[in-house]
Amino acid sequence: MSDSSAETSDSSNFIRDIIDADLASNKVSAVVTRFPPEPNGYLHIGHAKSICLNFGIARDYGGHCNLRFDDTNPEKESVEYVNSIRRDVEWLGFTWHSNPFASDYFDQLYAYALDLIKQGLAYVDSQNADEIRANRGTLTEPGVDSPYRDRSVEENIQLFEAMRNDEHKDGEHALRAKIDMQSPNINMRDPVLYRIRHATHHNTGDKWCIYPLYDFTHGLSDAIEGVTHSLCTLEFEDHRPLYDWILDNLETPSRPVQIEFARLQLEYTLTSKRKLNMLVDEGHVSGWDDPRMLTISGMRRRGFTPESIVSFCDAIGITKKYSTIEMGVLENALREDLNARAVRRMAVINPIKVVIENYPEDQEEFFSGANHPQNPDYGTREVPFSREIYIERDDFMEDAPSKFFRLSPGREVRLRFAYYITCKEVIKNEAGEIESLICTYDPESRGGKSPDGRKVKGTIHWVSARHAVDARVNLYDRLFTSANPGAAADFHQALNPDSNIMMDNAKFEPAIELTNNPIAYQFERLGYFISDYDSTNDNPVFNRTMTLRDSWAKIEQSQ
RNA sequence: UGGGCCGUCGCCAAGUGGUAAGGCACCAGGUUUUGAUCCUGGCAUUCGUUGGUUCGAAUCCAGCCGGCCCAGCCA
């Protein structure tokens, strides 16, 4: 009882306030929500916000949430999208109460339309689309009534049935609500309810040649399912009067309310379906699941965990305010989750060979390395060591500033888990490029500590050359260089040419599962990585999910 | 005078008439065999603006300023 007030404070938002009030006043006794995507594309991070909202509310209030496909426009929809959407919602960790199609309700919807006609609240308009548009008026001028607006109920019924019975061509007639052509709200100027469309539907096949529109379908579908709170994005605010008009004029099993919230806008990303499509079709990305895409399938391939996405959605909140979230928020949610769960390993992505000249040629030994520095439950693994190792090219500098704590001529560093080494000589090729380094090690420093207690500031990662596994690593960066690519006249200008850098010569320590491995690794000091779908034991391919925070890079840049 | 909606720290966001939570980012320290993680501290006398009501206003009222959405037989 004493904690009850504290519980809501951390995840409260204006929608939950409304629900609390509705529950308190007994306006509703249980909470039912729905996530209603049209199956005409892949789900993206913006949908995740809506999914977390709808399913999260249902869960927290002990109600339920339906996954309903809003499939009233057959030409754009397909089972491919239906399947991908189901998979993505499940992957995010949510379970729907039921999974209907709006098209399952076509018979009921048709009956509702007939009801409206009989009440004199709908009519068949025989103007074509251009005429309807011309007579709708503009934002500042009222529309004018259709010449067909006053057809008799009998004639309307007959015409509507004829539309349904395939007696007319596409566009010849449309069913319209009879509301008010003078309304300042354009959505109320006799909106079209049904259109003739001779198209095969992914769910209903060729059963129908007329299809209801969103505004007619949505509220009725909500009412049929017993949805109590129908949550949608801000651009539907102007549709709410129509949503209400339809439900107020028809007898439905329940009476839902529509509440609008701001859609997600994320820096450096595009969420417009049309532009996402262009990215795929024009080959700027490899597909809908390209790891650079902020689609759910792309993020999955990139190595995001569902938990990190849910945590991100919790962090950004729900309001009616137009806002743009900084990438750092998403990155933080990802790192926070991955840091807690990722298995630590060593890998060298851009190798340079180091020969430890005083280490015996035919010797090898193993060091025990913790799989997670803060979590002993993760156990340890054995890391092999030998005379020749690889280190990261960035961990060596010929003329290093004093702040550079890594390897440079004459300086000593610690090899993680292993020994202290000192750089004695730099071997270059004819072009003057560094080919390898000659170092010595201190046998007394085994395990990374020396008996004399001398301080070694830098610790670097390494992989034994003899034991290394060759692999390819994809380095990913944001797809766009501009924070708001969608605002640009042409988003192509903002494409980041370096959004995918392939590193073909990476070296992994042996204790890494190369394939069919959905678990996250942290390659120490480099970032979080995951095996790609294409990875095989013969040709391992890993994707960099996210870098680690890098305060050295900041220092370096500021100098 | 077309209609609808929004404006709290660099970015999000609590706050619902009693004297500005939290997260991200940033800055300064500490721990550390990942320049990671972790820990500590700092970071809005002020809530778009002006005026009003009130003992008291981010919260109520009015005006003004700024931004977003709507003219598909798309959703």
Side-chain angles (χ1 to χ4, degrees):
Chain A
M1 195 165 169
S2 53
D3 334 308
S4 62
S5 62
E7 273 176 23
T8 49
S9 62
D10 57 344
S11 66
S12 122
N13 61 51
F14 78 100
I15 295 176
R16 285 169 185 258
D17 290 346
I18 292 170
I19 294 173
D20 288 339
D22 288 349
L23 253 12
S25 68
N26 281 318
K27 192 177 162 196
V28 301
S29 55
V31 177
V32 180
T33 56
R34 102 271 90 115
F35 170 63
E38 183 187 13
N40 70 342
Y42 283 75
L43 260 26
H44 55 64
I45 183 74
H47 294 109
K49 177 179 180 179
S50 178
I51 291 168
C52 291
L53 207 219
N54 280 293
F55 282 93
I57 281 177
R59 181 229 301 131
D60 294 346
Y61 284 91
H64 66 251
C65 180
N66 292 343
L67 170 60
R68 181 175 73 235
F69 290 107
D70 230 328
D71 57 346
T72 54
N73 191 6
E75 281 153 321
K76 292 190 171 177
E77 299 153 3
S78 77
V79 292
E80 176 198 351
Y81 297 129
V82 167
N83 293 147
S84 77
I85 289 167
R86 284 184 181 137
R87 179 180 184 200
D88 288 348
V89 172
E90 279 183 319
W91 180 75
L92 282 172
F94 297 105
T95 306
W96 49 78
H97 172 79
S98 70
N99 180 19
F101 293 100
S103 54
D104 294 338
Y105 309 137
F106 279 173
D107 285 312
Q108 292 163 83
L109 261 13
Y110 182 80
Y112 280 126
L114 236 27
D115 189 342
L116 245 24
I117 292 172
K118 286 173 186 162
Q119 294 184 65
L121 293 174
Y123 63 96
V124 172
D125 194 349
S126 304
Q127 297 181 106
N128 63 35
D130 289 338
E131 290 165 333
I132 288 180
R133 186 180 314 115
N135 288 332
R136 183 153 32 227
T138 68
L139 295 179
T140 53
E141 302 161 65
V144 305
D145 288 358
S146 164
Y148 305 97
R149 198 170 197 262
D150 293 317
R151 287 217 253 235
S152 68
V153 169
E154 293 67 33
E155 189 182 4
N156 280 323
I157 292 174
Q158 188 200 341
L159 248 16
F160 188 49
E161 284 176 346
M163 282 168 63
R164 183 203 176 150
N165 294 331
D166 198 5
E167 294 169 27
H168 297 283
K169 295 197 186 72
D170 287 9
E172 274 184 9
H173 305 287
L175 185 73
R176 291 232 258 169
K178 192 189 281 189
I179 307 180
D180 178 8
M181 290 304 294
Q182 267 84 250
S183 173
N185 181 347
I186 291 180
N187 294 297
M188 298 300 270
R189 317 237 265 232
D190 290 9
V192 172
L193 268 20
Y194 267 89
R195 78 289 221 187
I196 302 171
R197 191 74 92 232
H198 287 84
T200 302
H201 187 281
H202 71 92
N203 182 42
T204 59
D206 293 318
K207 180 179 175 190
W208 296 86
C209 64
I210 59 171
Y211 291 93
L213 278 93
Y214 167 85
D215 285 307
F216 183 66
T217 308
H218 203 88
L220 290 171
S221 301
D222 287 340
I224 289 167
E225 290 171 27
V227 168
T228 54
H229 301 268
S230 182
L231 315 178
C232 64
T233 45
L234 250 25
E235 64 270 29
F236 291 103
E237 277 176 322
D238 289 342
H239 294 242
R240 183 162 16 103
L242 178 53
Y243 184 98
D244 289 336
W245 184 90
I246 287 166
L247 293 178
D248 287 344
N249 285 296
L250 257 8
E251 270 183 44
T252 53
S254 74
R255 178 57 226 254
V257 295
Q258 173 181 306
I259 303 168
E260 310 85 11
F261 64 94
R263 70 184 322 137
L264 171 67
Q265 182 110 35
L266 226 204
E267 277 188 346
Y268 298 100
T269 93
L270 245 31
T271 43
S272 135
K273 220 166 255 181
R274 198 186 111 252
K275 288 172 182 167
L276 252 24
N277 237 313
M278 287 170 76
L279 287 174
V280 174
D281 291 345
E282 294 170 10
H284 300 110
V285 296
S286 63
W288 285 96
D289 66 350
D290 185 292
R292 292 164 295 180
M293 295 276 272
L294 272 296
T295 51
I296 304 301
S297 50
M299 294 170 87
R300 179 166 57 231
R301 187 170 188 175
R302 170 81 167 253
F304 277 78
T305 55
E307 291 84 355
S308 67
I309 296 173
V310 172
S311 152
F312 167 73
C313 291
D314 282 345
I316 61 177
I318 299 289
T319 66
K320 294 180 79 107
K321 188 161 70 181
Y322 303 90
S323 58
T324 303
I325 311 293
E326 290 179 343
M327 253 307 179
V329 181
L330 215 210
E331 293 174 352
N332 176 257
L334 218 209
R335 288 192 179 114
E336 199 169 59
D337 186 56
L338 255 16
N339 176 56
R341 73 171 75 229
V343 171
R344 268 57 172 183
R345 289 293 182 265
M346 291 200 289
V348 175
I349 280 178
N350 188 15
I352 172 170
K353 184 169 274 188
V354 171
V355 178
I356 301 161
E357 59 179 2
N358 59 336
Y359 193 91
E361 197 127 8
D362 50 2
Q363 187 172 316
E364 66 174 22
E365 62 188 301
F366 293 83
F367 295 100
S368 174
N371 291 330
H372 190 113
Q374 280 85 34
N375 191 345
D377 294 346
Y378 274 51
T380 61
R381 88 287 188 182
E382 297 294 298
V383 188
F385 182 82
S386 61
R387 187 172 197 260
E388 295 192 357
I389 62 172
Y390 295 108
I391 68 165
E392 209 69 59
R393 230 166 176 103
D394 287 349
D395 285 338
F396 177 78
M397 231 182 185
E398 259 198 297
D399 301 301
S402 60
K403 293 260 198 186
F404 186 79
F405 303 145
R406 285 111 98 148
L407 197 61
S408 70
R411 288 201 204 168
E412 186 174 47
V413 294
R414 173 167 38 233
L415 295 176
R416 168 130 247 228
F417 305 128
Y419 292 105
Y420 293 175
I421 58 168
T422 302
C423 178
K424 295 294 182 192
E425 196 183 334
V426 181
I427 310 292
K428 296 182 180 178
N429 64 16
E430 286 170 1
E433 295 157 345
I434 298 171
E435 210 149 65
S436 64
L437 306 171
I438 308 296
C439 295
T440 57
Y441 82 115
D442 174 4
E444 298 286 295
S445 66
R446 202 192 128 92
K449 284 191 183 86
S450 70
D452 64 9
R454 70 177 182 277
K455 284 274 189 258
V456 171
K457 184 86 178 164
T459 300
I460 64 175
H461 59 96
W462 53 274
V463 170
S464 165
R466 191 194 304 165
H467 307 270
V469 174
D470 292 316
R472 194 174 88 206
V473 166
N474 285 119
L475 267 22
Y476 293 112
D477 197 358
R478 45 187 65 146
L479 242 190
F480 297 98
T481 52
S482 150
N484 190 358
D490 179 9
F491 69 79
H492 295 85
Q493 309 284 314
L495 244 14
N496 175 9
D498 299 320
S499 60
N500 179 13
I501 297 174
M502 280 208 277
M503 305 298 286
D504 291 317
N505 194 25
K507 309 288 183 183
F508 290 1
E509 67 166 286
I512 292 175
E513 279 185 53
L514 269 9
T515 184
N516 294 326
N517 180 21
I519 70 152
Y521 284 115
Q522 184 198 95
F523 292 162
E524 295 206 25
R525 304 210 307 132
L526 294 176
Y528 300 99
F529 294 77
I530 194 150
S531 64
D532 188 71
Y533 300 163
D534 292 341
S535 188
T536 63
N537 284 313
D538 291 336
N539 291 295
V541 180
F542 273 60
N543 296 329
R544 184 175 70 192
T545 309
M546 191 73 241
T547 59
L548 259 28
R549 274 200 187 79
D550 188 355
S551 56
W552 164 244
K554 257 184 225 167
I555 294 166
E556 209 177 18
Q557 268 169 31
S558 67
Q559 282 174 347

